[in-house]
Amino acid sequence: MERLRRAVAEIAYAKEHTELSPLHRSLVPLLSFASSLYRLALSVRSYLYGFGLLSQKRLPVPVISVGNLTWGGNGKTPMVEFLAGLLADSGIPPLILTRGYAGGDEARMLQRHLLEKSVRIGVGANRAGTAASFIEKYGCFEPHSNVCCKNASPGQRFRSHSQTQGIGAIILDDGMQHWPLWRDLDIVMINALQPWGNGELLPLGPLREPLKALQRADIAVIHNADLVHENIVKSIELSIREIKDSIPTFFTRMAPAYFFEAGNIASRIPLEALSRNTVLCVSAIGSATAFVKMVEKLGAIYVDRVDFSDHHIFQREDIDLIKEKLTKLEGQSGLKPIIVITEKDYDRDPEVLKHLDPYKVWAVCAQLQFVPHGGCSEDQLKNLLANLLRTRNRTIWFNL
């Protein structure tokens, strides 16, 4: 299955099918047929919602969706964390709704990062139902008001800011294609390293929807903007504006802060400790290249990589493959390599990493940062979010 996933990914991001191996090219007709069926399913779903045959659940608090148009690696989870922290610091306790892929690795990471903030995390495919159960249990409130907002049912009560058990806003993780729940704002994340792939729909390409779906977005964020040439960033921005000229566009990067040692999450290893070492990057995330490029900037003598598909659960044969790579690197450099992983990979299965002894395994902790570009900044995003929600009768004030 892992080989098939890798083959599909290579096809999705190949510029021309002539670049593919004969085996991969043989898969193209099958993937093309499946992509046509997927397009038909999207059209049927759009028709059902457009004509009211299916309805969207509207919640009594603002709902902000963070999503994308392609599969993983677009910075959704870091943006969700940023928004949750922003809301909590402004006195608005948010509820994060996440599907919980691969046993909930992203949910566990978010919970650890936001442990000291008034943030709740709901995991489940039925996110409207999950939200309703949290609101039923904890209540909700409208910012700067102790009265029920017009969308709340009579049984739903609101709390003041001092009572942080209530739900003040919803952050919908990976919500661009989640139609059952009404959203007040849609933020779409775009990976600057791999924006649209071959431009085809799943599974022939990486697109979950046609690019025209950008018309539904309120804000676009080009992620990993620091890892590509400025001309590429401008090209992506231009392609976005060709679809929706008025959409505000922001730019972000992942900034590494420190490492922690696998098995000792409280440890703090400075980034400088990686210099003069040989490193093997091991990851099962949506954009392994972005992770490797970030590590390469930290001064290691040599950086190699072992990539798996997004949310892959490490198996015994994977550990054997990694150890084989480590032995080869050690023989070449004369140094015992350090394994560097992402936090998401650590949270997916911390126990399996013990099988990599006696090699050191470090997880890199990184945070979302805004890249100044064209006057766009973090504070401008805060103001824009507040203004957009105000125009939709959903008033939120952020602490700037």
Side-chain angles (χ1 to χ4, degrees), residues 268-287:
R268 293 291 185 273
I269 303 169
L271 299 177
E272 295 78 15
L274 203 66
S275 63
R276 300 184 300 278
N277 280 290
T278 299
V279 173
L280 179 64
C281 292
V282 178
S283 65
I285 57 176
S287 184

Side-chain angles (χ1 to χ4, degrees), residues 134-212:
F134 269 80
I135 291 173
E136 177 67 25
K137 182 176 182 179
Y138 299 106
C140 54
F141 67 86
E142 187 176 15
H144 299 288
S145 174
N146 293 325
V147 300
C148 180
C149 71
K150 65 180 182 180
N151 296 313
S153 64
Q156 290 169 329
R157 59 195 178 88
F158 288 77
R159 306 172 191 263
S160 67
H161 279 264
S162 61
Q163 294 174 288
T164 58
Q165 290 96 341
I167 305 299
I170 303 287
I171 302 173
L172 184 58
D173 182 21
D174 197 10
M176 189 77 178
Q177 291 78 38
H178 188 77
W179 286 47
L181 191 59
W182 172 272
R183 290 77 63 99
D184 295 279
L185 283 181
D186 267 299
I187 299 174
V188 61
M189 305 293 296
I190 298 137
N191 184 2
L193 286 167
Q194 298 173 318
W196 323 118
N198 59 12
E200 300 289 346
L201 290 175
L202 295 171
L204 180 60
L207 290 178
R208 294 176 169 185
E209 293 185 81
L211 289 181
K212 66 180 181 180

Side-chain angles (χ1 to χ4, degrees), residues 105-126:
D105 49 3
E106 293 166 346
R108 284 193 290 271
M109 185 179 74
L110 286 168
Q111 193 155 23
R112 188 174 70 251
H113 286 191
L114 300 167
L115 186 63
E116 297 180 359
K117 297 182 182 291
S118 56
V119 177
R120 298 188 183 277
I121 300 175
V123 180
N126 181 5

Side-chain angles (χ1 to χ4, degrees), residues 34-50 54 69 176-179 200-203 206-213 216:
S35 182
S36 298
L37 293 179
Y38 179 71
R39 183 184 296 274
L40 177 62
L42 288 179
S43 299
V44 171
R45 185 185 66 170
S46 178
Y47 175 86
L48 293 175
Y49 278 101
L54 291 176
L69 292 181
M176 189 77 178
Q177 291 78 38
H178 188 77
W179 286 47
E200 300 289 346
L201 290 175
L202 295 171
L207 290 178
R208 294 176 169 185
E209 293 185 81
L211 289 181
K212 66 180 181 180
R216 300 201 315 270

